[in-house]
Amino acid sequence: MNEEYQYAIERATRLIRGHAAGTLLVDSRPHKTLYMIDPHTGSLVLTIEDEMLDGEDVVLVLPEDTFDAPIRVSLDLTTTIGEEACDRFLAYHLHQPRSVWAHGKINFAKLESGEVISKEELEIPNGLMDEHSGLCKKLNIDRKALREVCKLLAKADIEEPTAVGIDLVGFDVRGPFGVVRVEFPSPVKNATQAEDVLAALFGSIS
């Protein structure tokens, strides 16, 4: 794999994980949509209406449908989805915007720079799945410190922050006005490295 394509994969991954809302185009009809990533599968969890299942062309545009949007993700919609995934969505967004729960299975993603990234490179289970809940609990022990870390890494001042997800690239924090992505200074490879990074970050501001 050449260096340019590896960079494109990493950029596409950051873009998909870096947002929690976008524009879902169903046969070119736009729908503002909230989503999160199912840590078990790497596919997207979102809500839809029944008629959207009839769409032949489904694309999620991030962060919104503009000419120069940085990424467009081709999806297949399926209502085969577990209760745990729905519960995680509610932890992120606190409500069910539409009547039908759905998985958005990634077909491919296209960056505005022209690179096409395959499903196999993007739809990957969370490498911290086994430690996910425990790491989120650690993040939420000291909300004041979590707020400071969000200021430091995401330049976001979040009142009453709640960590709702974590992976090898960063973590997601719910605030009063939505979900903010906080990236690690550099990606980690496992839970031990994640804990070391979090200890260093929280230790530096305590």
Side-chain angles (χ1 to χ4, degrees), residues 10-198:
E10 292 171 359
R11 182 162 179 260
T13 298
R14 289 197 305 272
L15 285 166
I16 294 171
R17 293 189 176 276
H19 295 89
T23 303
L24 189 69
L25 300 177
V26 182
D27 293 337
S28 299
R29 291 190 60 184
H31 308 270
K32 293 294 184 185
T33 298
L34 301 175
Y35 73 94
M36 54 83 65
I37 299 171
D38 186 342
H40 287 286
T41 65
S43 60
L44 308 187
V45 179
L46 59 158
T47 62
I48 60 173
E49 300 298 349
D50 279 325
E51 59 268 22
M52 295 182 187
L53 292 168
D54 296 328
E56 296 183 1
D57 183 37
V58 180
V59 178
L60 179 67
V61 190
L62 302 174
E64 57 185 345
D65 185 26
T66 59
F67 176 76
D68 58 350
I71 190 169
R72 295 172 181 267
V73 186
S74 171
L75 301 175
D76 280 334
L77 298 178
T78 171
T79 56
T80 303
I81 187 168
E83 184 178 349
E84 182 181 347
C86 302
D87 289 342
R88 289 188 184 277
F89 181 99
L90 293 173
Y92 269 66
H93 301 296
L94 297 179
H95 69 296
Q96 180 183 344
R98 297 189 176 95
S99 61
V100 179
W101 291 105
H103 261 144
K105 303 287 188 177
I106 297 174
N107 294 316
F108 62 86
K110 185 173 183 179
L111 296 167
E112 91 286 2
S113 48
E115 295 93 345
V116 176
I117 313 301
S118 71
K119 167 191 178 74
E120 289 73 22
E121 303 290 358
L122 295 173
E123 197 172 87
I124 299 172
N126 189 336
L128 299 179
M129 187 61 245
D130 291 342
E131 302 84 8
H132 189 273
S133 296
L135 288 171
C136 283
K137 287 179 181 178
K138 288 184 178 181
L139 281 165
N140 288 321
I141 288 173
D142 186 342
R143 303 301 175 99
K144 182 178 179 182
L146 178 59
R147 183 175 182 177
E148 293 302 315
V149 169
C150 292
K151 287 181 187 177
L152 176 67
L153 295 184
K155 304 297 185 287
D157 187 6
I158 306 172
E159 294 185 15
E160 301 180 5
T162 300
V164 290
I166 187 169
D167 54 59
L168 299 174
V169 182
F171 56 93
D172 300 318
V173 179
R174 190 186 70 229
F177 302 105
V179 177
V180 173
R181 179 66 169 176
V182 183
E183 285 197 3
F184 294 136
S186 60
V188 300
K189 294 182 179 179
N190 51 47
T192 300
Q193 287 189 5
E195 291 198 19
D196 289 345
V197 170
L198 294 178

